[in-house]
């Protein structure tokens, strides 16, 4: 009978725990803060709270004697949080690299239905038609601020293992500089129109070497499409252009026998410039083109991969968390069993169930918090700014960096405390249910 | 072996602890099984594909096209059995999220892939139907397509008569017999001739050639001979084995190996600590018992072996269950998602590596407690000092 009751009780606790965890994961920071303050007030100003504090102090002061066992909780949780934060940071880094590339004051125009620059074709006779449309801002020279560009995938030699990788070679004209003020030359100079000169983004510079496997530097010569190109400079933009090579659009077009352009980037005129442009484009039957703000265009490109990385990170993190929970349970059960006499004595001299339960939980949560902090710190120290590359939407390499943001660290801490909660609750309940007389009698 | 029941009894002396430790070992090896299978699949998926096949693409870049007239030249290269070609189409079915590869293939393309099983009459119908399409079984199931259905695709690159709407008639469905490669059933192919006539942009252009060589040992020479055909032309080629081609492609997606290895490092470090601690605890609790064993005549060495065997048994038991679970779950996920998520089954290489890891971890975590048990002084231990 009492077995069934205990079993029912445990199941009830388990259900409450699952519900609690779901709420906990969704809790915003201010609610967590309120919770912590409420707990602190309870600890400081009520009788049972003060008893809890005393009980917890006894437990925590004996922690150094059980360092080996306690470190299981700390290291286990640090592992979970480290892996979780690192995986999420990878997704966040990719997302932010692509998102920064776009903004809501410029728009990109592609052939209808083409989704990405590589697939798009915009014929030369369409360019003047586009520049005459409403909604396009004018540049300093009074002409419409539009930049017709080419995007060619070329093979470059990777630094890592000297194999070929797809790099994006963008052909641009003068207007591109004004439309992308974030692109700055950091070494050398801009290419000159009409010459076979290249400038290379800082991400691409790290990723590739020349065909003799030497570092890229101003003056390096690279053979592309049977023609020799000279590297004249390097640029930095802090976004996905960093992975690109830039050259003069007309020279690139003639080298690759491209008579048409692939995309047009325009500066939008004021807030409703985009709507005006879209309406004007739809009204012209000669222009079967898609127009999208660059912000939306680049954000869309990161959507799939960053969602995939997020799901992967959470699944792996969750499996590891389950393992860490078992580790924490093990340790805390052992701790409770080892201190059975001590706990029974405390209960005998008047400590009630609640203070004993909360004290054991506090102890576990403290260890979990330390573990979470260590894991987050390691992930931050090792992975923040770590560069990786992947194939982007244009069938070419996009370099990005892991981004360990405070938000991700906060998430990691929340996971750590969640694991601590689960790992501490059942041992705490056992401590409170310990039959006092038996525990006292047992050696 | 005769001590097995003794070890077994010692293992389950504290059921809760053993059970919890076992569960964490299981989760660790479950994760290991899944991650390592993915890693193996990435690094060797190429190797399971035919070694007799070469892929020729443009040397400039993979998106650059090659003239289709190269086919007859390639076929006349000594050592080449057959060659066919394909052009990437990149069409979208209803929504970009439904992505699957689709391309136009030349005559004889399907025959280059004998592992793609097509009923002969369907294959015949495919080549005979101008706008016919052939799809993999998984893809057909996913979208509920049946033979005779019309499949509309939105072109992203090649319009036809000024519009992006292409329609294909499904006339054939192929299957891949090898379970590991079910992911390759996610492709739609249609006749290149139809594509060449109907698209508004390019005529007589292909993106890659697939070449069947008579003898895999000659692949290198044949590849060089093929590249020589277009030396110094405006369409220089790059020919490599299918394996090398796939591997280069996967490598660009990301360094899967690095990520997997670092996750596994974190998992195993945690696991080591966890199990090691449990074993230390178990030995500490049993000091008087071990002393009794020694008193009744067990040698120091056999006590060492007993403890070591106990630790190893625990890890191997959990590891096998974990890997077994991974082997069950992975095909389950693949089939439940109807090919949307492709997880490989646990390959022999992963089982082997996993087993080795279990033994190593077992010995490492058991060693310290076992040494301690071996050095135990009977009198002190019995007295509880």
């Amino acid at each position: 009978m009492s077995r069934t009751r205990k079993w029912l009780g445990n199941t009830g606790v388990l259900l409450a725990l699952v519900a609690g965890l779901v709420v906990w994961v969704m809790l915003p920071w201010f609610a967590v803060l309120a919770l912590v303050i409420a707990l602190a007030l309870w600890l400081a100003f009520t009788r049972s709270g003060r008893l809890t504090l005393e009980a917890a102090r006894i437990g925590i002061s004996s922690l150094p004697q059980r360092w080996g066992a306690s470190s299981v909780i700390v290291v286990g949780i640090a592992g979970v949080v480290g892996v979780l934060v690192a995986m999420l940071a990878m997704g966040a880094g990719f997302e932010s690299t692509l998102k920064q590339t776009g903004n809501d004051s410029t728009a990109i125009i592609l052939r209808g239905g083409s989704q990405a620059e590589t697939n798009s074709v915009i014929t030369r006779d369409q360019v003047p038609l586009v520049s005459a449309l409403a909604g396009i801002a004018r540049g300093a020279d009074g002409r419409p601020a539009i930049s017709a560009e080419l995007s060619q995938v070329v093979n470059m030699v990777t630094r890592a293992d000297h194999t070929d990788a797809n790099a994006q070679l963008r052909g641009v004209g003068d207007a591109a500089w004004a439309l992308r003020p974030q692109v700055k030359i950091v070494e050398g100079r801009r290419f000159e129109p009409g010459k076979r000169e290249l400038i290379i983004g800082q991400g691409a510079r790290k990723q590739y070497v020349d065909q003799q496997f030497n570092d890229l530097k101003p003056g390096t010569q690279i053979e592309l499409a049977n023609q020799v190109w000279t590297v004249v400079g390097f640029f930095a933009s802090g976004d996905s252009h960093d992975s690109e090579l830039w050259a003069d659009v007309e020279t690139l077009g003639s080298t690759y026998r491209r008579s048409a352009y692939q995309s047009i980037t325009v500066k939008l005129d004021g807030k409703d410039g985009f709507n005006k442009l879209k309406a004007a484009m739809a009204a012209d039957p000669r222009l079967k083109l898609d127009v999208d703000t660059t912000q939306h265009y680049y954000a869309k490109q990161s959507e799939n991969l960053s969602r995939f990385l997020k799901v992967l990170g959470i699944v792996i993190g969750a499996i590891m968390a389950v393992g860490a929970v078992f580790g924490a349970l093990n340790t805390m059960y052992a701790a409770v069993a080892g201190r059975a006499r001590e706990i029974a004595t405390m209960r005998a001299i008047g400590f009630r169930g609640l203070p004993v339960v909360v004290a054991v939980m506090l102890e576990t949560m403290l260890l979990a918090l330390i573990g979470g902090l260590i894991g987050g710190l390691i992930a931050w120290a090792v992975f923040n700014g770590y560069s990786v590359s992947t194939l982007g939407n244009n069938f070419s390499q996009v370099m990005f960096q892991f981004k360990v943001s405070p938000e991700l660290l906060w998430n990691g801490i929340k996971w750590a405390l969640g694991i601590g909660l689960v790992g501490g609750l059942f041992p705490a309940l056992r401590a409170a249910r310990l039959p006092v007389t038996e525990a006292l009698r047992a050696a | 072996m005769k001590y097995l029941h003794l070890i077994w009894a010692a293992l389950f002396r504290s059921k809760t602890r053993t059970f919890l430790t076992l569960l964490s070992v299981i989760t660790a090896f479950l994760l290991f099984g899944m991650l390592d299978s993915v890693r193996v699949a990435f690094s060797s998926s190429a190797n399971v594909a035919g070694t007799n096949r070469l892929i020729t693409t443009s040397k400039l870049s993979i998106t650059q096209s090659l003239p289709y007239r190269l086919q007859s030249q390639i076929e006349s290269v000594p050592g080449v059995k057959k060659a066919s070609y394909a052009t990437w189409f990149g069409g979208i079915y209803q929504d970009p999220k439904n992505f699957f590869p689709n391309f136009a293939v030349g005559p004889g393309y399907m025959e280059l892939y004998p592992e793609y099983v097509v009923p002969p009459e369907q294959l015949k119908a495919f080549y005979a139907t101008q706008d016919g399409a052939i799809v993999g079984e998984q893809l057909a199931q996913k979208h509920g397509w049946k033979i005779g259905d019309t499949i509309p695709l939105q072109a992203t690159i090649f319009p036809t008569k000024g519009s992006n709407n292409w329609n294909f008639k499904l006339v054939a469905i192929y299957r891949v017999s090898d379970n590991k490669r079910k992911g390759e059933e996610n492709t739609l192919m249609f006749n290149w001739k139809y594509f060449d006539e109907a698209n508004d942009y390019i005529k007589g252009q292909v993106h890659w050639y697939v070449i069947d060589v008579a003898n895999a040992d000659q692949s290198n020479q044949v590849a060089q001979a093929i590249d020589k055909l277009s030396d110094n032309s405006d369409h220089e080629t790059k020919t490599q084995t299918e394996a090398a081609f796939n591997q280069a492609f996967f490598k660009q997606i990301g360094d899967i190996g690095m990520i997997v290895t670092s996750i596994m490092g974190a998992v195993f470090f945690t696991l080591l600590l966890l199990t090691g601690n449990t074993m230390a605890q178990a030995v500490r609790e049993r000091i008087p018992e071990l002393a009794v064993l020694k008193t009744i005549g067990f040698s120091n060495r056999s006590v060492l072996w007993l403890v070591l065997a106990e630790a190893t048994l625990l890890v191997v038991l959990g590891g096998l269950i974990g890997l077994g679970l991974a082997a069950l779950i992975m095909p389950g996920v693949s089939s439940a998602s109807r090919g949307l998520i492709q997880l490989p089954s646990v390959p022999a290489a992963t089982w082997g590596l996993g087993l080795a890891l279990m033994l190593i971890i077992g010995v490492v975590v058991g060693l310290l407690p076992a040494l301690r048990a071996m050095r135990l002084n009977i009198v002190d231990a019995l007295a509880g000092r």
Side-chain angles (χ1 to χ4, degrees):
Chain A
M1 186 61 208
S2 75
R3 252 188 115 99
T4 350
R5 255 218 345 251
K6 196 178 155 198
W7 187 82
L8 277 177
N10 272 345
T11 319
V13 170
L14 199 68
L15 287 179
L17 196 64
V18 170
L21 276 182
V22 171
V23 174
W24 169 249
V25 169
M26 294 198 280
L27 222 51
W29 66 272
F30 49 85
V32 175
L33 191 70
L35 219 60
V36 170
I37 291 175
L39 184 68
L41 288 178
W42 180 74
L43 285 177
F45 293 111
T46 62
R47 193 182 127 75
S48 52
R50 280 198 297 272
L51 283 177
T52 308
L53 215 52
E54 285 306 314
R57 188 175 295 161
I58 297 171
I60 290 168
S61 65
S62 69
L63 266 184
Q65 293 163 29
R66 297 178 273 127
W67 231 166
S70 316
S71 64
V72 169
I73 299 185
V74 175
V75 176
I77 290 176
V80 177
V81 172
V83 168
L84 180 79
V85 170
M87 295 287 292
L88 294 181
M90 184 151 74
F94 185 67
E95 198 175 337
S96 90
T97 300
L98 280 176
K99 270 200 178 141
Q100 272 172 26
T101 315
N103 54 56
D104 57 2
S105 65
T106 53
I108 183 163
I109 297 167
L110 302 170
R111 183 174 58 77
S114 54
Q115 312 284 336
E117 279 175 271
T118 331
N119 299 339
S120 172
V121 175
I122 292 178
T123 53
R124 284 185 181 248
D125 55 325
Q126 286 176 322
V127 178
L129 298 177
V130 168
S131 62
L133 294 176
I136 299 177
R138 294 193 174 262
D141 53 1
R143 287 191 304 191
I146 81 165
S147 166
E149 300 177 357
L150 267 176
S151 154
Q152 174 69 36
V153 178
V154 297
N155 282 341
M156 288 289 283
V157 183
T158 56
R159 180 182 298 267
D161 49 11
H162 297 175
T163 53
D164 280 354
N166 301 342
Q168 194 171 9
L169 174 53
R170 181 181 294 279
V172 297
D174 275 345
W177 299 100
L179 280 167
R180 295 191 184 80
Q182 77 271 29
V183 177
K184 302 227 159 57
I185 295 284
V186 289
E187 195 184 334
R189 57 172 174 85
R190 292 181 184 180
F191 56 82
E192 279 175 25
K195 288 191 177 167
R196 285 203 190 87
E197 293 180 339
L198 286 175
I199 56 170
I200 294 178
Q202 54 178 4
R205 182 184 199 176
K206 274 188 233 153
Q207 183 84 353
Y208 306 120
V209 289
D210 72 3
Q211 279 128 352
Q212 282 76 44
F213 311 140
N214 298 316
D215 283 355
L216 300 172
K217 49 186 178 296
T220 300
Q221 305 218 310
I222 297 177
E223 197 188 307
L224 296 172
N226 297 337
Q227 313 273 10
V228 175
W229 296 71
T230 311
V231 176
V232 295
F234 296 92
F235 65 89
S237 64
D239 54 28
S240 71
H241 292 308
D242 271 342
S243 321
E244 297 174 350
L245 289 64
W246 281 19
D248 175 43
V249 62
E250 302 305 331
T251 315
L252 184 67
S254 65
T255 309
Y256 281 88
R257 308 188 310 279
R258 293 285 196 78
S259 54
Y261 296 108
Q262 278 175 298
S263 67
I264 302 181
T265 303
V266 304
K267 180 129 189 89
L268 293 169
D269 191 13
K271 268 214 162 74
D272 58 333
F274 178 67
N275 291 333
K276 272 195 256 169
L277 178 60
K278 201 164 181 173
M281 181 105 49
D284 191 332
R286 290 167 298 179
L287 297 173
K288 281 189 185 163
L289 305 174
D290 283 342
V291 57
D292 205 348
T293 60
T294 49
Q295 186 171 46
H296 186 244
Y297 173 75
Y298 285 104
K300 209 169 58 190
Q301 293 191 0
S302 73
E303 220 172 51
N304 278 338
L305 185 69
S306 47
R307 192 192 304 124
F308 171 76
L309 288 174
K310 204 179 237 169
V311 170
L312 191 72
I314 289 178
V315 168
I316 291 179
I319 296 179
M320 281 186 77
V322 171
V325 164
F326 294 135
L329 279 175
N330 218 343
T331 308
M332 290 318 287
Y333 270 133
V336 168
R339 286 170 49 213
R341 246 176 129 176
E342 196 181 308
I343 293 172
T345 313
M346 275 160 51
R347 300 235 336 260
I349 60 173
F351 281 85
R352 289 295 190 85
L354 188 65
V356 172
V357 170
V358 179
V360 175
M361 302 268 296
L362 277 181
E363 193 183 319
T364 326
M365 300 290 254
L366 179 73
L367 291 172
L369 185 66
I370 297 174
L373 286 173
I374 293 178
L377 271 180
I378 291 178
W380 179 78
V382 175
F383 285 113
N384 198 22
Y386 189 90
S387 304
V388 282
S389 66
T390 186
L391 268 192
N393 259 27
N394 278 311
F395 221 63
S396 53
Q397 296 271 297
V398 178
M399 289 105 206
F400 62 98
Q401 298 184 327
F402 281 60
K403 197 175 168 194
V404 182
S405 61
E407 198 188 332
L408 287 181
L409 289 176
W410 168 240
N411 255 332
I413 302 278
K414 262 167 97 173
W415 273 59
L417 290 178
I419 295 169
L421 185 75
V422 182
L425 186 58
F426 292 98
L429 287 178
R430 178 181 284 185
R433 283 178 187 157
L434 225 51
V436 176
T437 44
E438 270 175 48
L440 279 178
R441 218 177 289 137
Chain B
M1 253 301 107
K2 62 181 170 180
Y3 295 133
L4 188 64
H5 66 282
L6 188 61
I7 298 170
W8 194 262
L11 200 55
F12 287 94
R13 188 178 180 278
S14 162
K15 284 203 187 64
T16 327
R17 187 180 54 217
T18 307
F19 186 63
L20 290 174
T21 313
L22 204 58
L23 281 178
S24 36
V25 177
I26 290 174
T27 35
F29 274 92
L30 171 67
L31 204 55
F32 165 81
M34 289 167 52
L35 292 177
D36 198 59
S37 312
V38 172
R39 185 186 62 80
V40 170
F42 261 84
S43 58
S44 69
S45 79
N47 301 336
V48 292
T51 48
N52 276 9
R53 281 194 293 264
L54 300 176
I55 306 269
T56 301
T57 51
S58 164
K59 192 182 169 191
L60 302 181
S61 91
I62 194 163
T63 55
Q64 202 76 5
S65 57
L66 297 167
Y68 113 101
R69 62 185 149 78
L70 267 181
Q71 197 221 1
S72 53
Q73 294 177 26
I74 290 176
E75 278 198 325
S76 61
V77 168
V80 171
K81 266 205 319 213
K82 268 182 296 181
S84 189
Y85 45 86
T87 303
W88 180 256
F89 182 65
I92 291 170
Y93 177 67
Q94 288 175 345
D95 188 283
K97 287 198 181 77
N98 289 335
F99 173 84
F100 53 84
N102 46 78
F103 42 87
V105 298
Y109 191 90
M110 290 307 293
E111 284 85 340
L112 290 173
Y113 289 84
E115 62 271 39
Y116 293 4
V117 184
V118 201
E121 72 281 1
Q122 288 188 5
L123 190 62
K124 222 159 143 198
F126 171 62
Y127 288 129
T129 314
Q130 193 197 17
D131 58 349
I134 179 167
V135 305
E137 194 174 38
Q138 280 198 352
L139 187 64
Q141 275 170 8
K142 185 171 151 197
H143 294 297
W145 293 333
K146 289 180 298 298
I147 298 276
D149 284 1
T150 298
I151 302 170
L153 289 185
Q154 274 305 107
T156 58
I157 315 176
F158 305 106
T160 173
K161 295 174 213 99
S163 133
N164 280 335
N165 302 324
W166 289 69
N167 286 306
F168 300 103
K169 196 166 164 231
L170 181 55
V171 290
I173 292 179
Y174 69 89
R175 293 182 53 226
V176 180
S177 35
D178 187 350
N179 263 335
K180 276 183 205 134
R181 295 174 58 194
K182 282 283 178 206
E184 293 173 35
E185 283 187 2
N186 260 313
T187 305
L188 180 147
M189 286 168 275
F190 55 95
N191 285 313
W192 184 83
K193 196 157 172 291
Y194 173 58
F195 166 78
D196 196 50
E197 283 162 7
N199 91 80
D200 298 348
Y201 278 155
I202 59 174
K203 299 292 171 198
Q205 301 285 312
V206 306
H207 281 131
W208 70 90
Y209 286 94
V210 179
I211 295 131
D212 193 9
V213 288
N215 182 351
D217 298 338
Q218 295 174 352
S219 296
N220 268 336
Q221 293 96 297
V222 174
Q224 278 167 12
I226 291 171
D227 287 344
K228 211 155 178 101
L229 292 175
S230 351
D231 243 3
N232 291 322
S233 70
D234 59 358
H235 53 81
E236 284 192 279
T237 58
K238 179 173 163 184
T239 304
Q240 47 194 335
T241 62
E242 190 173 50
F245 177 79
N246 287 352
Q247 208 153 23
F249 191 77
F250 281 133
K251 205 182 283 163
Q252 291 201 46
I253 295 178
D255 194 350
I256 300 293
M258 183 278 289
I259 297 163
V260 170
T261 322
S262 45
I263 292 177
M264 259 160 14
V267 172
F268 278 109
F269 184 62
T270 314
L271 172 73
L272 211 63
L273 201 89
L274 212 77
T275 337
N277 175 60
T278 314
M279 284 316 294
Q281 248 176 44
V283 171
R284 214 176 303 132
E285 268 176 27
R286 285 212 315 270
I287 285 178
E289 286 170 38
L290 291 170
V292 171
L293 280 183
K294 281 187 167 184
T295 316
I296 61 174
F298 278 80
S299 68
N300 281 345
R301 181 163 297 178
S302 43
V303 171
L304 173 94
W305 283 116
L306 275 180
V307 177
L308 212 52
E310 188 186 328
T312 316
L313 184 67
L314 182 67
V315 177
V316 170
L317 205 63
L320 287 179
I321 297 176
L323 277 186
L325 274 180
L328 281 181
I329 288 176
M330 308 244 291
V333 172
S334 301
S335 64
S337 66
R338 286 207 240 148
L340 200 65
I341 304 168
Q342 276 300 325
L343 290 176
S345 52
V346 180
T350 301
W351 280 101
L353 184 62
L355 216 57
L357 278 171
M358 287 172 213
L359 291 176
I360 293 171
I361 294 180
V363 170
V364 168
V365 300
L367 200 60
L368 275 181
L371 284 175
R372 183 175 170 178
M374 185 181 83
R375 293 191 188 126
L376 218 57
N377 185 324
I378 298 180
V379 182
D380 283 349
L382 281 178
R385 281 192 289 244

